[in-house]
Amino acid sequence: MSRRARLCVLAAGLLATAALFLAACLELPPFGTARHPYGDRAVRAALDRHTANTVSSVNFDQRALDTLGEESILFASVLGTVVLLRQTRDEHRTAPEPQDVPPVLRRYGLILLPVTLLVGLYVVAHGQLSPGGGFQGGVVVATALHLLYIGVDYRALERVRPLGPYEIADAAGEGAYVLLGAAGLLAGSAYLANTLPYGTFNTLASGGTVPLLNAAVGVEVAAAAVVLLAKFLGQALEIEGGQGKKGGQGKKGRKGMKGKEGRT
């Protein structure tokens, strides 16, 4: 395709997008009024399905297909990172040297680790009841594990972070969301339709499929964040490059640079 043809296709797409955006803006309620038709309908639908947190009802029920796309973007990002940052033949791994951590930092890091982990699990488990959910709680859980890196050292983090199980958990969280969506088809409804009993309002078992989809996202996000940080930390602290094919200098050793700039 020529450059002119590509520009014409781009211009047509931009004009179509602008027309749709303008049509949507013309239908918006006036600013400064109490008329919010989408919000009123979202709250009504959340209450009808016994979901106390309207935001979670929108994410995992009313617009659950959009959430599947968001989760899949993260899953694809992890997959791409694993492929791009894999160890090549001209690289080798070296174990980082242990570093002295101030006692105060070590003490508070170890105290905050279980607290942060508990908070993250609580946020995931109560996503359909209160603000938060799988995305937010998953990040908090992954952050809790990395307090070992800050408060102790990199080797302590490695002992609680075997990558194999976390990669499996990442795939399992994505797969669980897809399969839960297929349950709606088996029940004779739409994909990702909320077909389970709604339970008692404002309890952990309320919301039908909402808590299950929320938990699947929590597992996927937590595992994905751990795998992503593991690959980046491995590149920064463990991977050293070899010599180029023509006698030139190959990839610069990152561990040596890290040793001069900061702790490992």
Side-chain angles (χ1 to χ4, degrees):
M1 183 181 292
S2 65
R3 177 180 175 83
R4 183 174 182 178
R6 291 198 300 269
L7 290 176
C8 290
V9 172
L10 175 63
L14 291 176
L15 288 174
T17 303
L20 292 173
F21 184 76
L22 179 61
C25 289
L26 293 176
E27 295 296 327
L28 287 174
F31 287 102
T33 65
R35 178 175 172 265
H36 301 287
Y38 183 85
D40 295 339
R41 293 169 185 170
V43 172
R44 190 180 307 114
L47 295 177
D48 288 342
R49 291 179 171 88
H50 298 183
T51 306
N53 184 4
T54 303
V55 175
S56 290
S57 177
V58 172
N59 289 339
F60 302 111
D61 188 358
Q62 303 170 41
R63 304 189 66 173
L65 191 61
D66 295 354
T67 303
L68 174 60
E70 297 169 6
E71 184 187 31
S72 299
I73 291 173
L74 178 59
F75 180 75
S77 301
V78 174
L79 183 60
T81 302
V82 170
V83 173
L84 290 174
L85 297 185
R86 68 189 186 279
Q87 185 175 348
T88 59
R89 286 179 294 181
D90 64 338
E91 295 176 337
H92 65 277
R93 291 183 177 273
T94 58
E97 295 294 332
Q99 298 293 316
D100 292 331
V101 179
V104 174
L105 181 60
R106 181 186 296 268
R107 180 169 58 252
Y108 283 105
L110 295 177
I111 291 174
L112 286 176
L113 192 155
V115 176
T116 307
L117 183 60
L118 183 61
V119 169
L121 294 176
Y122 179 91
V123 171
V124 173
H126 292 76
Q128 76 276 16
L129 303 179
S130 58
F135 285 102
Q136 299 88 340
V139 173
V140 176
V141 170
T143 302
L145 296 179
H146 288 82
L147 288 175
L148 277 176
Y149 173 59
I150 298 175
V152 186
D153 60 17
Y154 183 67
R155 295 185 299 176
L157 172 63
E158 282 190 309
R159 285 194 289 269
V160 300
R161 191 208 56 188
L163 281 186
Y166 286 99
E167 291 171 348
I168 294 174
D170 184 24
E174 176 74 11
Y177 199 104
V178 174
L179 293 177
L180 286 169
L185 298 176
L186 296 176
S189 185
Y191 185 74
L192 283 170
N194 196 337
T195 56
L196 293 180
Y198 299 148
T200 303
F201 182 76
N202 209 26
T203 62
L204 285 177
S206 63
T209 58
V210 172
L212 298 179
L213 293 174
N214 177 66
V217 168
V219 171
E220 198 275 334
V221 170
V226 170
V227 174
L228 280 175
L229 289 173
K231 292 300 177 181
F232 289 131
L233 286 173
Q235 286 286 312
L237 305 179
E238 293 185 77
I239 300 295
E240 287 189 346
Q243 296 293 327
K245 291 183 178 179
K246 296 184 179 180
Q249 187 68 26
K251 187 178 178 181
K252 192 169 184 180
R254 297 182 181 83
K255 173 175 171 291
M257 296 175 60
K258 185 71 176 181
K260 295 179 181 179
E261 296 174 1
R263 65 179 291 271
T264 57

